[in-house]
Amino acid sequence: MEIENMEIREDDLSGAETRGLIARHLADMRETSPEESCHALDADALQDPSVTFWSAWIDGRVAGIGALKRLDAVNGEVKSMRVEDAFRGSGVGRALVRHIIRTARRHGLRAIWLETGAQPEFAAARGLYASEGFVECGPFASYREDPHSVFMRLDL
Protein backbone atom coordinates (compact mmCIF):
# COMPACT_ATOMS: atom_id res chain seq x y z
CA MET A 1 0.00 0.00 0.00
CA GLU A 2 1.44 3.35 -1.00
CA ILE A 3 0.17 6.48 0.70
CA GLU A 4 0.68 9.67 -1.24
CA ASN A 5 3.19 12.02 0.37
CA MET A 6 4.12 9.57 3.16
CA GLU A 7 7.74 9.11 4.14
CA ILE A 8 8.91 6.47 6.62
CA ARG A 9 12.24 7.39 8.13
CA GLU A 10 14.53 5.99 10.76
CA ASP A 11 14.08 8.31 13.72
CA ASP A 12 16.50 9.25 16.50
CA LEU A 13 13.59 10.22 18.79
CA SER A 14 14.90 13.76 19.24
CA GLY A 15 11.92 15.54 17.69
CA ALA A 16 9.09 16.94 19.80
CA GLU A 17 6.38 15.52 17.50
CA THR A 18 7.76 12.00 17.69
CA ARG A 19 8.26 12.18 21.46
CA GLY A 20 4.73 13.57 21.84
CA LEU A 21 3.23 10.62 19.96
CA ILE A 22 5.24 8.20 22.11
CA ALA A 23 3.92 9.95 25.24
CA ARG A 24 0.31 9.72 23.99
CA HIS A 25 0.86 6.05 23.14
CA LEU A 26 2.09 5.33 26.67
CA ALA A 27 -0.79 7.27 28.24
CA ASP A 28 -3.34 5.32 26.16
CA MET A 29 -1.73 2.00 27.10
CA ARG A 30 -1.96 2.90 30.78
CA GLU A 31 -5.64 3.85 30.40
CA THR A 32 -6.59 0.51 28.82
CA SER A 33 -4.33 -1.95 30.64
CA PRO A 34 -3.20 -2.55 34.20
CA GLU A 35 0.35 -1.32 34.85
CA GLU A 36 1.78 -4.86 35.05
CA SER A 37 0.31 -5.54 31.59
CA CYS A 38 1.76 -2.42 29.91
CA HIS A 39 4.75 -3.45 27.84
CA ALA A 40 5.12 -0.30 25.74
CA LEU A 41 8.59 1.24 25.72
CA ASP A 42 9.22 4.88 26.58
CA ALA A 43 11.46 7.12 24.46
CA ASP A 44 14.58 6.24 26.47
CA ALA A 45 14.02 2.48 26.13
CA LEU A 46 13.38 2.91 22.39
CA GLN A 47 16.92 4.29 22.05
CA ASP A 48 18.45 0.97 23.08
CA PRO A 49 20.93 -0.31 20.45
CA SER A 50 18.76 -3.42 19.92
CA VAL A 51 15.87 -1.23 18.71
CA THR A 52 15.37 0.43 15.33
CA PHE A 53 12.66 3.07 15.47
CA TRP A 54 10.77 4.65 12.56
CA SER A 55 8.33 7.49 12.19
CA ALA A 56 5.93 8.01 9.30
CA TRP A 57 5.35 11.56 8.07
CA ILE A 58 2.65 13.02 5.84
CA ASP A 59 2.83 16.64 4.76
CA GLY A 60 5.26 17.52 7.54
CA ARG A 61 3.20 15.88 10.31
CA VAL A 62 4.03 12.75 12.24
CA ALA A 63 1.44 10.17 11.21
CA GLY A 64 2.69 7.08 13.00
CA ILE A 65 5.53 5.28 14.71
CA GLY A 66 6.83 1.73 14.97
CA ALA A 67 9.93 -0.13 16.03
CA LEU A 68 11.72 -3.44 15.62
CA LYS A 69 13.60 -4.82 18.62
CA ARG A 70 16.15 -7.52 17.88
CA LEU A 71 15.65 -10.35 20.39
CA ASP A 72 18.55 -12.47 19.11
CA ALA A 73 20.26 -13.31 15.81
CA VAL A 74 17.08 -14.62 14.16
CA ASN A 75 14.11 -13.16 16.07
CA GLY A 76 12.69 -9.67 16.41
CA GLU A 77 9.77 -8.00 18.13
CA VAL A 78 7.46 -5.29 16.83
CA LYS A 79 7.27 -2.50 19.41
CA SER A 80 5.55 0.86 19.85
CA MET A 81 3.18 0.69 16.91
CA ARG A 82 0.93 3.74 17.00
CA VAL A 83 -0.90 5.82 14.41
CA GLU A 84 -1.77 9.43 15.20
CA ASP A 85 -5.54 9.74 15.66
CA ALA A 86 -5.99 12.01 12.61
CA PHE A 87 -4.42 9.34 10.36
CA ARG A 88 -6.16 6.21 11.68
CA GLY A 89 -7.74 4.12 8.97
CA SER A 90 -5.58 5.70 6.26
CA GLY A 91 -3.12 2.81 5.84
CA VAL A 92 -0.28 4.32 7.88
CA GLY A 93 -0.24 1.40 10.32
CA ARG A 94 -0.19 -1.16 7.51
CA ALA A 95 2.64 0.71 5.77
CA LEU A 96 4.68 0.72 8.99
CA VAL A 97 4.07 -3.00 9.65
CA ARG A 98 5.10 -3.86 6.09
CA HIS A 99 8.20 -1.68 6.43
CA ILE A 100 9.15 -3.50 9.64
CA ILE A 101 8.58 -6.92 8.00
CA ARG A 102 10.73 -5.96 4.98
CA THR A 103 13.50 -4.70 7.26
CA ALA A 104 13.39 -7.88 9.37
CA ARG A 105 13.70 -10.03 6.24
CA ARG A 106 16.54 -7.88 4.90
CA HIS A 107 18.41 -8.38 8.19
CA GLY A 108 17.99 -12.16 8.06
CA LEU A 109 15.45 -12.57 10.84
CA ARG A 110 13.40 -15.77 10.68
CA ALA A 111 10.47 -14.62 12.83
CA ILE A 112 9.03 -11.50 14.33
CA TRP A 113 6.82 -11.47 17.36
CA LEU A 114 4.57 -8.96 19.06
CA GLU A 115 2.45 -8.40 22.13
CA THR A 116 -0.74 -6.36 21.90
CA GLY A 117 -3.77 -5.83 24.06
CA ALA A 118 -6.65 -8.29 24.43
CA GLN A 119 -9.18 -5.53 25.13
CA PRO A 120 -11.70 -4.36 22.51
CA GLU A 121 -9.69 -1.16 21.98
CA PHE A 122 -6.98 -3.30 20.36
CA ALA A 123 -9.26 -5.19 17.94
CA ALA A 124 -8.20 -3.09 14.94
CA ALA A 125 -4.51 -3.67 15.71
CA ARG A 126 -5.04 -7.42 16.07
CA GLY A 127 -6.95 -7.46 12.77
CA LEU A 128 -4.16 -5.56 11.02
CA TYR A 129 -1.49 -7.94 12.28
CA ALA A 130 -3.56 -11.01 11.34
CA SER A 131 -4.16 -9.62 7.85
CA GLU A 132 -0.38 -9.32 7.42
CA GLY A 133 0.14 -12.98 8.36
CA PHE A 134 0.73 -12.85 12.11
CA VAL A 135 -0.84 -15.73 14.05
CA GLU A 136 -1.64 -15.93 17.72
CA CYS A 137 0.85 -17.85 19.84
CA GLY A 138 1.95 -18.20 23.43
CA PRO A 139 4.19 -15.82 25.32
CA PHE A 140 7.74 -15.31 24.06
CA ALA A 141 10.99 -13.88 25.41
CA SER A 142 10.35 -12.65 28.98
CA TYR A 143 6.56 -12.35 28.62
CA ARG A 144 4.20 -14.47 30.72
CA GLU A 145 0.59 -15.53 30.21
CA ASP A 146 -1.60 -12.49 30.80
CA PRO A 147 -5.35 -12.11 30.22
CA HIS A 148 -4.70 -8.55 28.99
CA SER A 149 -2.20 -9.62 26.31
CA VAL A 150 -2.37 -11.30 22.92
CA PHE A 151 0.90 -12.67 21.53
CA MET A 152 1.44 -13.07 17.80
CA ARG A 153 4.20 -14.39 15.54
CA LEU A 154 5.08 -14.11 11.87
CA ASP A 155 7.50 -16.62 10.33
CA LEU A 156 9.58 -14.89 7.67
Side-chain angles (χ1 to χ4, degrees):
M1 169 174 289
E2 197 69 30
I3 300 169
E4 194 172 322
N5 300 325
M6 186 174 74
E7 175 190 4
I8 297 176
R9 57 177 97 138
E10 197 167 322
D11 195 309
D12 66 4
L13 296 110
S14 63
E17 290 134 338
T18 301
R19 291 181 84 80
L21 186 52
I22 292 167
R24 288 188 297 283
H25 176 62
L26 290 170
D28 283 353
M29 296 303 99
R30 290 186 178 112
E31 282 182 20
T32 57
S33 301
E35 186 63 33
E36 65 275 8
S37 298
C38 286
H39 304 289
L41 301 177
D42 64 18
D44 290 338
L46 288 166
Q47 292 178 319
D48 186 276
S50 67
V51 177
T52 304
F53 181 86
W54 294 275
S55 55
W57 296 80
I58 298 175
D59 297 328
R61 295 173 53 204
V62 67
I65 55 174
L68 176 64
K69 178 179 180 181
R70 189 175 276 267
L71 300 174
D72 58 34
V74 295
N75 294 288
E77 179 182 3
V78 176
K79 296 297 291 182
S80 299
M81 282 291 301
R82 169 66 187 251
V83 174
E84 184 66 85
D85 292 348
F87 294 99
R88 289 199 174 171
S90 69
V92 170
R94 185 172 304 280
L96 280 163
V97 168
R98 288 179 177 177
H99 183 83
I100 290 169
I101 292 168
R102 281 192 305 273
T103 301
R105 283 188 173 123
R106 195 168 50 247
H107 288 115
L109 298 185
R110 293 190 195 137
I112 51 178
W113 308 73
L114 63 85
E115 179 276 337
T116 190
Q119 300 85 337
E121 294 88 349
F122 297 93
R126 293 190 306 270
L128 168 64
Y129 298 133
S131 73
E132 290 297 324
F134 285 84
V135 295
E136 289 191 26
C137 63
F140 62 95
S142 63
Y143 292 102
R144 302 287 174 252
E145 285 291 341
D146 182 340
H148 301 283
S149 292
V150 172
F151 304 99
M152 302 180 88
R153 172 188 170 123
L154 175 68
D155 291 322
L156 300 175

